[in-house]
Amino acid sequence: MFLISLQFVAALILLFFGGNLLVRACSALALLLKTKVFFISLFLLGMGSSAPELFVSIESHLDLKPDIAIGNIVGSNIFNILIVGALVILSSAWMTNQKTMVKSTVLLLGATLITALLAWDLSLSRIDGLILLVLFALFFIQSKGLSEEAPSESTVYSPPILAGLLIAGFVFLFLGSKWAIFSAVEIGNHLGLSTRIIGLFLMSVGTSLPELAIGITALFKKESEIALGGIIGSNAFNTFFIPGVSALIFDLSVSHLFLKTDGIVMTLSTALLLLFLFIHKKIPKLAVSSLFLIFYAFYVYFVLLHRV
């Protein structure tokens, strides 16, 4: 267990370095492309930080462990909103583009409901996967239309340096996520946890560490708009792209338990974020962040209490 713990610490270091590089790169790329930094983070960070979830989904189905695949996607979305989102809300500089954030979150909530409806028969077929991929494309086309021009205070980098930051950031995130995932599985097996719990918590937290690293880095750099874009983008990739691609390769089986409990929590978490975006001026940010954290703690307690 000592070596596994050491590997997990090394994974955290790589993830935070990768998150730092990508936050800088997103600001510079938004300025270079003359688009809003929120959209750049929505797509670029969403894609990059969701790569571990795609890897886990495919590997889990090849290993005949579909509960880990679905649990990882659902658990990651819940963690992104309730934990990473709680950190982002504490920032004083995150509401610079509220209109775009609200509309993107509405689209994400719609995506969550549509995916739940498609999975209502306890499976996602190839046709369902194709529908999800089409909706995924429409989501980002619509989000691009909501974007505004980048802020002028973004740091300027030359194209070669910018490319180097992006490549290094994604490499660090990939290696860190891979080590974190391996450590999580080993710890879960050692503790005798079910595949559902491993997927919902250990794997989802491991694959969400890029979002957490990016969120903390963006918070300290007063770039919380990047962090929120990364959360919404990552959840959109998790909800549309990853199940869509996986379902095209093989039918995805979804247990009734996921629909009854975890899917509901994921939907409520997204709705809670949307509600806060509407009424954020009326409620102290610390109170909302605390509510998010308490909600997640009760969810973890409920699942672990039933040990399913």
PDB file of all heavy atoms in Angstrom, residues 38-63:
ATOM      1  N   PHE A  38     -14.332  31.626 -21.748  1.00  0.00           N
ATOM      2  CA  PHE A  38     -15.268  30.617 -21.242  1.00  0.00           C
ATOM      3  C   PHE A  38     -15.497  29.511 -22.259  1.00  0.00           C
ATOM      4  O   PHE A  38     -15.524  28.329 -21.918  1.00  0.00           O
ATOM      5  CB  PHE A  38     -16.601  31.282 -20.879  1.00  0.00           C
ATOM      6  CG  PHE A  38     -17.640  30.315 -20.377  1.00  0.00           C
ATOM      7  CD1 PHE A  38     -17.581  29.835 -19.083  1.00  0.00           C
ATOM      8  CD2 PHE A  38     -18.667  29.888 -21.206  1.00  0.00           C
ATOM      9  CE1 PHE A  38     -18.527  28.939 -18.613  1.00  0.00           C
ATOM     10  CE2 PHE A  38     -19.619  28.999 -20.738  1.00  0.00           C
ATOM     11  CZ  PHE A  38     -19.550  28.529 -19.447  1.00  0.00           C
ATOM     12  N   PHE A  39     -15.652  29.881 -23.558  1.00  0.00           N
ATOM     13  CA  PHE A  39     -15.871  28.860 -24.570  1.00  0.00           C
ATOM     14  C   PHE A  39     -14.626  28.005 -24.768  1.00  0.00           C
ATOM     15  O   PHE A  39     -14.720  26.783 -24.950  1.00  0.00           O
ATOM     16  CB  PHE A  39     -16.275  29.490 -25.905  1.00  0.00           C
ATOM     17  CG  PHE A  39     -16.383  28.478 -27.027  1.00  0.00           C
ATOM     18  CD1 PHE A  39     -17.439  27.595 -27.069  1.00  0.00           C
ATOM     19  CD2 PHE A  39     -15.399  28.399 -27.994  1.00  0.00           C
ATOM     20  CE1 PHE A  39     -17.529  26.642 -28.075  1.00  0.00           C
ATOM     21  CE2 PHE A  39     -15.476  27.461 -29.004  1.00  0.00           C
ATOM     22  CZ  PHE A  39     -16.547  26.584 -29.049  1.00  0.00           C
ATOM     23  N   ILE A  40     -13.445  28.624 -24.749  1.00  0.00           N
ATOM     24  CA  ILE A  40     -12.205  27.866 -24.903  1.00  0.00           C
ATOM     25  C   ILE A  40     -12.083  26.834 -23.785  1.00  0.00           C
ATOM     26  O   ILE A  40     -11.756  25.666 -24.017  1.00  0.00           O
ATOM     27  CB  ILE A  40     -10.989  28.812 -24.896  1.00  0.00           C
ATOM     28  CG1 ILE A  40     -10.983  29.681 -26.157  1.00  0.00           C
ATOM     29  CG2 ILE A  40      -9.691  28.013 -24.802  1.00  0.00           C
ATOM     30  CD1 ILE A  40     -10.818  28.914 -27.446  1.00  0.00           C
ATOM     31  N   SER A  41     -12.352  27.264 -22.560  1.00  0.00           N
ATOM     32  CA  SER A  41     -12.273  26.325 -21.436  1.00  0.00           C
ATOM     33  C   SER A  41     -13.372  25.278 -21.525  1.00  0.00           C
ATOM     34  O   SER A  41     -13.171  24.106 -21.170  1.00  0.00           O
ATOM     35  CB  SER A  41     -12.362  27.075 -20.103  1.00  0.00           C
ATOM     36  OG  SER A  41     -13.589  27.753 -19.983  1.00  0.00           O
ATOM     37  N   LEU A  42     -14.550  25.686 -22.016  1.00  0.00           N
ATOM     38  CA  LEU A  42     -15.675  24.765 -22.154  1.00  0.00           C
ATOM     39  C   LEU A  42     -15.295  23.588 -23.049  1.00  0.00           C
ATOM     40  O   LEU A  42     -15.552  22.424 -22.720  1.00  0.00           O
ATOM     41  CB  LEU A  42     -16.868  25.506 -22.740  1.00  0.00           C
ATOM     42  CG  LEU A  42     -18.223  24.789 -22.764  1.00  0.00           C
ATOM     43  CD1 LEU A  42     -18.813  24.737 -21.370  1.00  0.00           C
ATOM     44  CD2 LEU A  42     -19.185  25.504 -23.707  1.00  0.00           C
ATOM     45  N   PHE A  43     -14.662  23.886 -24.172  1.00  0.00           N
ATOM     46  CA  PHE A  43     -14.317  22.831 -25.132  1.00  0.00           C
ATOM     47  C   PHE A  43     -12.971  22.183 -24.827  1.00  0.00           C
ATOM     48  O   PHE A  43     -12.871  20.964 -24.682  1.00  0.00           O
ATOM     49  CB  PHE A  43     -14.299  23.400 -26.552  1.00  0.00           C
ATOM     50  CG  PHE A  43     -14.009  22.368 -27.603  1.00  0.00           C
ATOM     51  CD1 PHE A  43     -15.001  21.490 -28.021  1.00  0.00           C
ATOM     52  CD2 PHE A  43     -12.748  22.258 -28.151  1.00  0.00           C
ATOM     53  CE1 PHE A  43     -14.728  20.522 -28.978  1.00  0.00           C
ATOM     54  CE2 PHE A  43     -12.467  21.286 -29.102  1.00  0.00           C
ATOM     55  CZ  PHE A  43     -13.462  20.424 -29.518  1.00  0.00           C
ATOM     56  N   LEU A  44     -11.926  23.006 -24.704  1.00  0.00           N
ATOM     57  CA  LEU A  44     -10.575  22.470 -24.583  1.00  0.00           C
ATOM     58  C   LEU A  44     -10.368  21.724 -23.265  1.00  0.00           C
ATOM     59  O   LEU A  44      -9.911  20.579 -23.242  1.00  0.00           O
ATOM     60  CB  LEU A  44      -9.570  23.610 -24.712  1.00  0.00           C
ATOM     61  CG  LEU A  44      -8.105  23.203 -24.855  1.00  0.00           C
ATOM     62  CD1 LEU A  44      -7.896  22.440 -26.152  1.00  0.00           C
ATOM     63  CD2 LEU A  44      -7.206  24.429 -24.827  1.00  0.00           C
ATOM     64  N   LEU A  45     -10.718  22.379 -22.153  1.00  0.00           N
ATOM     65  CA  LEU A  45     -10.547  21.728 -20.857  1.00  0.00           C
ATOM     66  C   LEU A  45     -11.558  20.607 -20.667  1.00  0.00           C
ATOM     67  O   LEU A  45     -11.263  19.595 -20.030  1.00  0.00           O
ATOM     68  CB  LEU A  45     -10.677  22.750 -19.725  1.00  0.00           C
ATOM     69  CG  LEU A  45      -9.613  23.835 -19.668  1.00  0.00           C
ATOM     70  CD1 LEU A  45      -9.783  24.681 -18.421  1.00  0.00           C
ATOM     71  CD2 LEU A  45      -8.215  23.237 -19.717  1.00  0.00           C
ATOM     72  N   GLY A  46     -12.757  20.797 -21.205  1.00  0.00           N
ATOM     73  CA  GLY A  46     -13.751  19.728 -21.126  1.00  0.00           C
ATOM     74  C   GLY A  46     -13.269  18.467 -21.804  1.00  0.00           C
ATOM     75  O   GLY A  46     -13.373  17.363 -21.267  1.00  0.00           O
ATOM     76  N   MET A  47     -12.703  18.633 -23.002  1.00  0.00           N
ATOM     77  CA  MET A  47     -12.184  17.482 -23.744  1.00  0.00           C
ATOM     78  C   MET A  47     -10.989  16.865 -23.034  1.00  0.00           C
ATOM     79  O   MET A  47     -10.917  15.645 -22.843  1.00  0.00           O
ATOM     80  CB  MET A  47     -11.781  17.923 -25.151  1.00  0.00           C
ATOM     81  CG  MET A  47     -11.131  16.832 -25.988  1.00  0.00           C
ATOM     82  SD  MET A  47     -10.618  17.447 -27.620  1.00  0.00           S
ATOM     83  CE  MET A  47      -9.364  18.639 -27.144  1.00  0.00           C
ATOM     84  N   GLY A  48     -10.037  17.712 -22.631  1.00  0.00           N
ATOM     85  CA  GLY A  48      -8.824  17.187 -22.012  1.00  0.00           C
ATOM     86  C   GLY A  48      -9.065  16.520 -20.679  1.00  0.00           C
ATOM     87  O   GLY A  48      -8.541  15.434 -20.406  1.00  0.00           O
ATOM     88  N   SER A  49      -9.886  17.150 -19.839  1.00  0.00           N
ATOM     89  CA  SER A  49     -10.114  16.590 -18.510  1.00  0.00           C
ATOM     90  C   SER A  49     -11.055  15.394 -18.527  1.00  0.00           C
ATOM     91  O   SER A  49     -11.128  14.639 -17.548  1.00  0.00           O
ATOM     92  CB  SER A  49     -10.661  17.673 -17.564  1.00  0.00           C
ATOM     93  OG  SER A  49     -11.864  18.205 -18.061  1.00  0.00           O
ATOM     94  N   SER A  50     -11.799  15.201 -19.630  1.00  0.00           N
ATOM     95  CA  SER A  50     -12.697  14.045 -19.734  1.00  0.00           C
ATOM     96  C   SER A  50     -12.037  12.847 -20.410  1.00  0.00           C
ATOM     97  O   SER A  50     -12.649  11.780 -20.491  1.00  0.00           O
ATOM     98  CB  SER A  50     -13.960  14.425 -20.525  1.00  0.00           C
ATOM     99  OG  SER A  50     -14.760  15.289 -19.766  1.00  0.00           O
ATOM    100  N   ALA A  51     -10.819  13.023 -20.888  1.00  0.00           N
ATOM    101  CA  ALA A  51     -10.115  11.896 -21.513  1.00  0.00           C
ATOM    102  C   ALA A  51      -9.982  10.698 -20.560  1.00  0.00           C
ATOM    103  O   ALA A  51     -10.153   9.549 -20.988  1.00  0.00           O
ATOM    104  CB  ALA A  51      -8.746  12.356 -22.008  1.00  0.00           C
ATOM    105  N   PRO A  52      -9.670  10.914 -19.261  1.00  0.00           N
ATOM    106  CA  PRO A  52      -9.597   9.756 -18.359  1.00  0.00           C
ATOM    107  C   PRO A  52     -10.918   8.992 -18.264  1.00  0.00           C
ATOM    108  O   PRO A  52     -10.919   7.753 -18.197  1.00  0.00           O
ATOM    109  CB  PRO A  52      -9.229  10.389 -17.009  1.00  0.00           C
ATOM    110  CG  PRO A  52      -8.550  11.664 -17.363  1.00  0.00           C
ATOM    111  CD  PRO A  52      -9.251  12.159 -18.588  1.00  0.00           C
ATOM    112  N   GLU A  53     -12.053   9.708 -18.256  1.00  0.00           N
ATOM    113  CA  GLU A  53     -13.347   9.037 -18.182  1.00  0.00           C
ATOM    114  C   GLU A  53     -13.589   8.161 -19.417  1.00  0.00           C
ATOM    115  O   GLU A  53     -14.140   7.063 -19.314  1.00  0.00           O
ATOM    116  CB  GLU A  53     -14.470  10.070 -18.039  1.00  0.00           C
ATOM    117  CG  GLU A  53     -14.617  10.653 -16.644  1.00  0.00           C
ATOM    118  CD  GLU A  53     -13.767  11.884 -16.443  1.00  0.00           C
ATOM    119  OE1 GLU A  53     -12.807  12.074 -17.225  1.00  0.00           O
ATOM    120  OE2 GLU A  53     -14.037  12.661 -15.514  1.00  0.00           O
ATOM    121  N   LEU A  54     -13.185   8.663 -20.596  1.00  0.00           N
ATOM    122  CA  LEU A  54     -13.344   7.872 -21.813  1.00  0.00           C
ATOM    123  C   LEU A  54     -12.481   6.614 -21.746  1.00  0.00           C
ATOM    124  O   LEU A  54     -12.924   5.516 -22.104  1.00  0.00           O
ATOM    125  CB  LEU A  54     -12.956   8.712 -23.032  1.00  0.00           C
ATOM    126  CG  LEU A  54     -13.042   8.006 -24.393  1.00  0.00           C
ATOM    127  CD1 LEU A  54     -14.458   7.543 -24.674  1.00  0.00           C
ATOM    128  CD2 LEU A  54     -12.552   8.940 -25.506  1.00  0.00           C
ATOM    129  N   PHE A  55     -11.249   6.769 -21.276  1.00  0.00           N
ATOM    130  CA  PHE A  55     -10.335   5.638 -21.125  1.00  0.00           C
ATOM    131  C   PHE A  55     -10.919   4.596 -20.168  1.00  0.00           C
ATOM    132  O   PHE A  55     -10.927   3.396 -20.458  1.00  0.00           O
ATOM    133  CB  PHE A  55      -8.987   6.147 -20.612  1.00  0.00           C
ATOM    134  CG  PHE A  55      -8.029   5.068 -20.206  1.00  0.00           C
ATOM    135  CD1 PHE A  55      -7.316   4.363 -21.167  1.00  0.00           C
ATOM    136  CD2 PHE A  55      -7.846   4.745 -18.872  1.00  0.00           C
ATOM    137  CE1 PHE A  55      -6.435   3.359 -20.780  1.00  0.00           C
ATOM    138  CE2 PHE A  55      -6.968   3.752 -18.492  1.00  0.00           C
ATOM    139  CZ  PHE A  55      -6.260   3.053 -19.452  1.00  0.00           C
ATOM    140  N   VAL A  56     -11.430   5.064 -19.030  1.00  0.00           N
ATOM    141  CA  VAL A  56     -12.000   4.155 -18.029  1.00  0.00           C
ATOM    142  C   VAL A  56     -13.231   3.451 -18.576  1.00  0.00           C
ATOM    143  O   VAL A  56     -13.433   2.250 -18.360  1.00  0.00           O
ATOM    144  CB  VAL A  56     -12.344   4.928 -16.741  1.00  0.00           C
ATOM    145  CG1 VAL A  56     -13.192   4.073 -15.812  1.00  0.00           C
ATOM    146  CG2 VAL A  56     -11.076   5.350 -16.038  1.00  0.00           C
ATOM    147  N   SER A  57     -14.077   4.167 -19.303  1.00  0.00           N
ATOM    148  CA  SER A  57     -15.308   3.585 -19.842  1.00  0.00           C
ATOM    149  C   SER A  57     -15.012   2.430 -20.784  1.00  0.00           C
ATOM    150  O   SER A  57     -15.607   1.345 -20.682  1.00  0.00           O
ATOM    151  CB  SER A  57     -16.116   4.670 -20.566  1.00  0.00           C
ATOM    152  OG  SER A  57     -17.288   4.129 -21.124  1.00  0.00           O
ATOM    153  N   ILE A  58     -14.098   2.639 -21.696  1.00  0.00           N
ATOM    154  CA  ILE A  58     -13.761   1.592 -22.667  1.00  0.00           C
ATOM    155  C   ILE A  58     -13.082   0.412 -21.971  1.00  0.00           C
ATOM    156  O   ILE A  58     -13.429  -0.755 -22.209  1.00  0.00           O
ATOM    157  CB  ILE A  58     -12.868   2.161 -23.776  1.00  0.00           C
ATOM    158  CG1 ILE A  58     -13.652   3.201 -24.592  1.00  0.00           C
ATOM    159  CG2 ILE A  58     -12.361   1.053 -24.695  1.00  0.00           C
ATOM    160  CD1 ILE A  58     -12.834   3.915 -25.638  1.00  0.00           C
ATOM    161  N   GLU A  59     -12.115   0.719 -21.092  1.00  0.00           N
ATOM    162  CA  GLU A  59     -11.405  -0.349 -20.394  1.00  0.00           C
ATOM    163  C   GLU A  59     -12.347  -1.170 -19.509  1.00  0.00           C
ATOM    164  O   GLU A  59     -12.240  -2.402 -19.443  1.00  0.00           O
ATOM    165  CB  GLU A  59     -10.290   0.254 -19.527  1.00  0.00           C
ATOM    166  CG  GLU A  59      -9.072   0.710 -20.299  1.00  0.00           C
ATOM    167  CD  GLU A  59      -8.303  -0.455 -20.882  1.00  0.00           C
ATOM    168  OE1 GLU A  59      -8.185  -1.499 -20.211  1.00  0.00           O
ATOM    169  OE2 GLU A  59      -7.823  -0.338 -22.023  1.00  0.00           O
ATOM    170  N   SER A  60     -13.286  -0.507 -18.855  1.00  0.00           N
ATOM    171  CA  SER A  60     -14.215  -1.205 -17.964  1.00  0.00           C
ATOM    172  C   SER A  60     -15.109  -2.161 -18.736  1.00  0.00           C
ATOM    173  O   SER A  60     -15.407  -3.264 -18.261  1.00  0.00           O
ATOM    174  CB  SER A  60     -15.068  -0.185 -17.201  1.00  0.00           C
ATOM    175  OG  SER A  60     -14.268   0.643 -16.404  1.00  0.00           O
ATOM    176  N   HIS A  61     -15.559  -1.767 -19.923  1.00  0.00           N
ATOM    177  CA  HIS A  61     -16.400  -2.658 -20.716  1.00  0.00           C
ATOM    178  C   HIS A  61     -15.603  -3.811 -21.298  1.00  0.00           C
ATOM    179  O   HIS A  61     -16.111  -4.933 -21.409  1.00  0.00           O
ATOM    180  CB  HIS A  61     -17.104  -1.877 -21.822  1.00  0.00           C
ATOM    181  CG  HIS A  61     -18.381  -1.242 -21.357  1.00  0.00           C
ATOM    182  ND1 HIS A  61     -18.398  -0.067 -20.641  1.00  0.00           N
ATOM    183  CD2 HIS A  61     -19.678  -1.631 -21.476  1.00  0.00           C
ATOM    184  CE1 HIS A  61     -19.642   0.238 -20.355  1.00  0.00           C
ATOM    185  NE2 HIS A  61     -20.440  -0.676 -20.840  1.00  0.00           N
ATOM    186  N   LEU A  62     -14.369  -3.558 -21.652  1.00  0.00           N
ATOM    187  CA  LEU A  62     -13.523  -4.648 -22.121  1.00  0.00           C
ATOM    188  C   LEU A  62     -13.276  -5.660 -21.003  1.00  0.00           C
ATOM    189  O   LEU A  62     -13.124  -6.862 -21.261  1.00  0.00           O
ATOM    190  CB  LEU A  62     -12.193  -4.097 -22.641  1.00  0.00           C
ATOM    191  CG  LEU A  62     -12.262  -3.273 -23.934  1.00  0.00           C
ATOM    192  CD1 LEU A  62     -10.880  -2.734 -24.297  1.00  0.00           C
ATOM    193  CD2 LEU A  62     -12.810  -4.116 -25.091  1.00  0.00           C
ATOM    194  N   ASP A  63     -13.238  -5.178 -19.770  1.00  0.00           N
ATOM    195  CA  ASP A  63     -13.053  -6.054 -18.606  1.00  0.00           C
ATOM    196  C   ASP A  63     -14.375  -6.570 -18.049  1.00  0.00           C
ATOM    197  O   ASP A  63     -14.407  -7.165 -16.972  1.00  0.00           O
ATOM    198  CB  ASP A  63     -12.298  -5.302 -17.497  1.00  0.00           C
ATOM    199  CG  ASP A  63     -10.863  -4.995 -17.889  1.00  0.00           C
ATOM    200  OD1 ASP A  63     -10.354  -5.668 -18.800  1.00  0.00           O
ATOM    201  OD2 ASP A  63     -10.273  -4.076 -17.303  1.00  0.00           O
TER     202      ASP A  63
END
